[in-house]
Amino acid sequence: MKKLFLIIGAPGSGKTTDASLIAEKHPEQLVHYSTGDMLRAEVKSGSELGKEIESYISRGALVPLNIIVDTIVSAINHAPVPNVLIDGYPRSVEQMEAFDTIVADEKEIDLTAVIEVRVSEAVARERILGRAAEAAPGEGRSDDNEAVFNDRMTIYTEPLEAIQNFYTDKGLLHVIDGERTLEEVVADMDTFVLSKIQ
Ligand code: AMP
């Protein structure tokens, strides 16, 4: 049985950095996967699937449901340790409902909590556009620019309330204030996750 934590947050919320630092602290207990990183790895491989994925990522659009569901289910099944953090899922009501069906059928996955790293749009914008300005030429992400940021933010915000309500009703939603220092956010998330697995 694997305990699963889903981590959601706006672009620039810091969710990927937070989760990877926590997993690094407890390598025997926790592993972390970021949906964005897994998709970008497929793009980098140069496969046909990667080319299809890049056509969505570069526009800030969501990749199709079957691609993202296969990506996360395969990550969970191959996880080498019993507790898994996945950030960047769900990002739509459709994804949430699809995963609910999978969790109901799949006795090996225990959805333990959904953590929302909450930041205002202004903070998210400042962080993402700052990240774009700091990237070396050719090294930045194809989706870190203002026009694509706006689309990513809209896509994040539109289903958010439905996602929050769904997991609140199940007693699974845990909100973390992401506007503090990285150390504070990580310490908070770390304490919460450990309280659920020990
Ligand atoms: P991120 O690194 O989390 O900002 O994600 C970068 C991009 O990867 C997103 O803008 C989407 O194009 C794609 N992506 C990441 N997670 C998902 C998801 N759950 N569903 C669909 N597309 C996703």
Side-chain angles (χ1 to χ4, degrees):
M1 172 75 102
K2 286 194 170 115
K3 284 199 174 181
L4 175 66
F5 295 80
L6 296 177
I7 304 174
I8 61 172
S13 61
K15 61 188 186 311
T16 304
T17 309
D18 303 333
S20 61
L21 288 171
I22 292 167
E24 262 173 35
K25 279 176 144 181
H26 314 285
E28 265 123 61
Q29 295 178 75
L30 279 171
V31 66
H32 162 244
Y33 303 109
S34 148
T35 55
D37 286 349
M38 289 189 284
L39 295 170
R40 281 186 290 275
E42 188 66 40
V43 172
K44 224 173 163 187
S45 78
S47 67
E48 282 307 310
L49 176 62
K51 286 182 192 136
E52 186 187 349
I53 290 171
E54 174 62 6
S55 72
Y56 294 93
I57 290 186
S58 60
R59 289 185 280 128
L62 296 180
V63 306
L65 184 67
N66 64 323
I67 297 181
I68 191 69
V69 167
D70 287 354
T71 303
I72 67 162
V73 169
S74 154
I76 298 166
N77 288 337
H78 291 103
V81 293
N83 304 293
V84 183
L85 309 178
I86 292 197
D87 85 72
Y89 192 97
R91 271 172 143 118
S92 66
V93 169
E94 184 190 37
Q95 290 185 7
M96 176 179 80
E97 288 173 348
F99 198 65
D100 199 51
T101 309
I102 292 169
V103 170
D105 292 348
E106 174 61 81
K107 299 284 167 277
E108 289 305 303
I109 303 176
D110 169 25
L111 179 56
T112 305
V114 177
I115 301 173
E116 177 190 344
V117 183
R118 194 173 284 174
V119 295
S120 66
E121 180 165 344
V123 167
R125 179 182 303 273
E126 199 181 291
R127 289 186 185 165
I128 290 289
L129 300 181
R131 179 166 81 189
E134 278 164 23
E139 294 285 308
R141 284 173 44 169
S142 62
D143 55 354
D144 277 352
N145 61 67
E146 187 146 24
V148 177
F149 170 82
N150 290 337
D151 289 344
R152 286 159 70 203
M153 198 68 204
T154 305
I155 288 171
Y156 177 71
T157 310
E158 197 264 325
L160 184 59
E161 197 180 331
I163 293 174
Q164 289 165 332
N165 291 342
F166 184 84
Y167 290 121
T168 299
D169 289 349
K170 290 181 180 281
L172 291 175
L173 188 73
H174 180 79
V175 179
I176 286 183
D177 171 6
E179 294 200 354
R180 298 165 297 164
T181 65
L182 180 62
E183 291 72 22
E184 286 170 314
V185 178
V186 168
D188 201 349
M189 198 187 285
D190 193 26
T191 305
F192 174 74
V193 170
L194 289 190
S195 75
K196 296 285 180 187
I197 65 175
Q198 283 174 345

